[in-house]
Amino acid sequence: MKTYLAFPFSQAIQEIKENKKQIQMAKEDGIHINLYPFIFAGYMFIFIMIIMYISILYLLIGTVVEPVGIIMLIPFLVSAWLFTIIYTKVFPKVKENYLKHVGFYDEY
């Protein structure tokens, strides 16, 4: 359960480290790539997931007092799942297409 809950965060941190490594490799070879928007999106994803986890925790605690709050829990869980799917499945393809367009993969 702990690894399941930490998966979005570990995926985002791994992606940020990979982006920084790719920027360093490109600088060494003299290729100009701009991966800083992708790094910023990773930090933004982490921030959004923290806020969503806090709100889910708040709703779980709140359902003890007022059980109607469980209805609001469903959209938060679905949106957290959708954000994770978008970040792990769609976002890497966009980055890969950008790197192909810039010519980063031609060097490696």
Side-chain angles (χ1 to χ4, degrees):
M1 180 76 166
K2 184 174 144 181
T3 57
Y4 180 74
L5 291 175
F7 173 73
F9 300 107
S10 63
Q11 185 72 23
I13 292 170
Q14 179 183 0
E15 188 73 26
I16 290 169
K17 288 179 182 178
E18 182 182 320
N19 288 339
K20 288 182 179 181
K21 187 187 303 181
Q22 288 175 341
I23 288 173
Q24 187 64 28
M25 288 171 35
K27 281 184 181 178
E28 291 173 358
D29 289 342
I31 301 171
H32 177 60
I33 59 173
N34 187 14
L35 291 177
Y36 293 109
F38 294 103
I39 293 173
F40 180 71
Y43 286 130
M44 194 167 46
F45 174 75
I46 290 173
F47 179 71
I48 289 171
M49 290 306 290
I50 288 171
I51 297 298
M52 291 187 83
Y53 276 26
I54 290 171
S55 64
I56 289 170
L57 184 63
Y58 177 75
L59 285 172
L60 283 173
I61 293 170
T63 56
V64 173
V65 176
E66 197 169 319
V68 177
I70 197 105
I71 295 170
M72 286 305 297
L73 188 63
I74 295 169
F76 278 100
L77 290 173
V78 170
S79 61
W81 177 72
L82 283 175
F83 278 137
T84 304
I85 293 294
I86 289 171
Y87 188 77
T88 57
K89 302 294 183 197
V90 176
F91 193 68
K93 291 179 184 178
V94 172
K95 186 180 94 170
E96 183 179 340
N97 287 338
Y98 169 72
L99 291 175
K100 284 180 184 177
H101 176 71
V102 174
F104 181 75
Y105 284 137
D106 295 338
E107 296 288 326
Y108 299 101

